[in-house]
């Protein structure tokens, strides 16, 4: 008997779910059902109060139930656990692994231009390190003056504190992957606007909820390089990962929340059944 597979679907209520989300949710649900006594959890990643909305959350729950999914309750809502993420960030900061970054997007672009470019990472040019070397005095006085700031991971220090062993993870359908966190550089772990970040919250919650297999779209593959570092820093277990392909529209473009025609709502209003959608996406149950 294999290990129990515990998966989750972790949408952000920032729009209506479309076929791509349906695929991701069904992918996760099926993985749990195939496992012996597997469990499927739903988690609402609603920390970004600048974009999340209660009506989207309501619609999301309704659409998933309509699609035929069942999940355990209570559902974890990240917005109810902000204190926990703040505490995790404070712990990393006390260990000297985070530094305040006062840069605006404009400051970063200007610096990159002045330097004649910056190494390109997985998600665009890497942060050129402007605030990494600020003295403690300067950091303190700028914070005391009320300057807004994010907290970035000092990747060099983080890797030094982890030690020389390679960080790896098992990615189903690929192989064993060795983390290359340099691809993300000094990532923001605490955003200035929301007081935490997707990266910090997702890694913490996956461990807390005992997720054994993280299933999600390939668009988040790069983020896993950073997530693996956070697991090592925080002493968290490493789940297996399964990054799946993305559903595209007729033009081969990845579906986005703005593509109204492919939302589950509009398909349903157009007379599609959950069975038809499941089978169109390759999931029969
Ligand atoms: N909340 C993220 C999103 O909606 C997904 C998180 C994950 O699966 O790791 O894109």
């Amino acid at each position: 008997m294999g290990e129990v597979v515990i998966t989750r679907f972790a949408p952000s209520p920032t729009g209506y779910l479309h076929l791509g989300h349906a695929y991701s949710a069904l992918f996760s649900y099926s993985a749990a059902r195939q496992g012996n006594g597997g469990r499927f959890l739903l988690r609402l990643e609603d920390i970004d109060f600048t974009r999340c909305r209660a009506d989207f959350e309501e619609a999301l729950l309704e659409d998933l139930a309509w699609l035929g999914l069942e999940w355990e309750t209570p559902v974890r809502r990240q917005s109810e656990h902000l204190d926990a993420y703040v505490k995790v960030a404070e712990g990393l900061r006390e260990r000297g692994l985070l530094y305040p970054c006062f840069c605006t997007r404009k400051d970063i672009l200007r610096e990159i231009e002045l330097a004649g470019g910056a190494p390109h990472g997985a998600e665009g040019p890497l942060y050129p390190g402007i605030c990494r070397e600020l003295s403690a005095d300067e950091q303190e006085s700028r914070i005391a003056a009320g300057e807004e700031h994010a907290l970035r991971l000092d990747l060099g220090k983080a890797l030094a504190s982890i030690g020389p062993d390679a960080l790896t993870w098992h990615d189903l359908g690929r192989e064993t992957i060795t983390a290359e966190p340099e691809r993300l550089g000094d990532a923001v772990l605490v955003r200035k606007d929301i007081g935490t970040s997707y990266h910090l919250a997702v890694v913490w919650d996956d461990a807390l909820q005992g997720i054994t297999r993280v299933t999600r779209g390939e668009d988040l593959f790069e983020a896993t390089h950073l997530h693996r570092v956070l697991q090592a820093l925080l002493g968290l277990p490493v789940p297996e990962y399964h990054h799946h392909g993305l559903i595209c529209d007729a033009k081969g473009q990845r579906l986005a929340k703005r593509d109204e025609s492919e939302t589950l709502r509009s398909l349903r209003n157009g007379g599609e059944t959950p069975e038809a959608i499941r089978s169109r996406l390759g999931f029969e149950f």
Side-chain angles (χ1 to χ4, degrees):
M1 210 172 80
E3 302 238 325
V4 172
V5 175
I6 307 175
T7 66
R8 62 14 173 224
F9 177 54
S12 297
T14 55
Y16 293 119
L17 296 185
H18 55 57
L19 272 186
H21 298 109
Y23 180 77
S24 202
L26 288 163
F27 191 92
S28 178
Y29 186 68
S30 302
R33 281 168 62 106
Q34 280 157 21
N36 216 331
R39 294 171 53 201
F40 171 71
L41 309 184
L42 176 68
R43 182 169 71 229
L44 293 166
E45 301 213 325
D46 59 349
I47 46 177
D48 186 349
F49 58 83
T50 67
R51 296 169 61 222
C52 294
R53 280 178 20 193
D55 57 329
F56 287 141
E57 180 180 312
E58 207 176 303
L60 180 161
L61 296 171
E62 194 185 293
D63 288 347
L64 291 176
W66 174 79
L67 193 60
L69 301 191
E70 287 167 14
W71 53 86
E72 293 182 15
T73 53
V75 168
R76 185 171 171 89
R77 268 190 185 71
Q78 289 191 324
S79 59
E80 291 172 0
H81 302 280
L82 295 174
D83 291 359
Y85 312 129
V86 167
K87 219 161 144 197
V88 175
E90 270 168 10
L92 291 172
R93 194 167 179 185
E94 276 160 19
R95 289 160 64 190
L97 302 176
L98 303 185
Y99 62 87
C101 173
F102 303 91
C103 293
T104 60
R105 228 171 270 259
K106 232 166 149 186
D107 296 332
I108 297 173
L109 292 176
R110 193 180 322 117
E111 174 74 14
I112 289 174
E113 210 178 290
L114 282 175
H120 223 73
E123 293 172 344
L126 292 181
Y127 177 65
I130 307 166
C131 290
R132 194 190 305 126
E133 306 303 339
L134 295 182
S135 66
D137 279 354
E138 184 167 359
Q139 289 176 350
E140 270 164 41
S141 66
R142 289 175 75 168
I143 292 172
E147 243 191 275
E148 286 197 327
H149 61 280
L151 294 176
R152 286 184 183 272
L153 180 68
D154 187 325
L155 184 61
K157 283 193 188 152
L159 294 179
S161 94
I162 292 167
D165 289 346
L167 298 174
T168 60
W169 78 85
H170 182 55
D171 214 299
L172 274 83
R174 291 175 199 242
E175 62 209 72
T176 298
I177 311 277
T178 300
E180 293 170 12
E182 311 70 41
R183 291 156 72 140
L184 287 103
D186 284 2
V188 170
L189 292 192
V190 176
R191 277 170 44 176
K192 47 173 108 160
D193 54 349
I194 63 172
T196 179
S197 66
Y198 156 67
H199 297 302
L200 197 77
V202 79
V203 166
W204 185 251
D205 281 357
D206 281 337
L208 189 85
Q209 296 192 286
I211 304 301
T212 63
R213 187 183 304 172
V214 172
T215 62
R216 59 186 178 198
E218 255 164 16
D219 52 331
L220 288 167
F221 177 77
E222 292 296 339
T224 310
H225 289 277
L226 169 63
H227 297 180
R228 186 63 191 86
V229 171
L230 295 181
Q231 287 153 358
L233 289 175
L234 298 169
L236 302 175
V238 184
E240 46 180 16
Y241 285 83
H242 199 167
H243 294 94
H244 58 71
L246 303 174
I247 300 287
C248 293
D249 64 13
K251 290 188 213 128
Q253 301 274 343
R254 193 182 132 191
L255 290 182
K257 282 187 174 144
R258 61 181 173 274
D259 298 322
E260 305 263 309
S261 61
E262 302 291 357
T263 62
L264 293 178
R265 312 241 110 186
S266 57
L267 294 168
R268 175 181 174 183
N269 290 337
E272 283 239 38
T273 63
E275 293 76 25
I277 291 180
R278 293 202 301 258
S279 107
R280 178 167 156 194
L281 294 173
F283 300 93
E284 312 272 357
F285 61 82

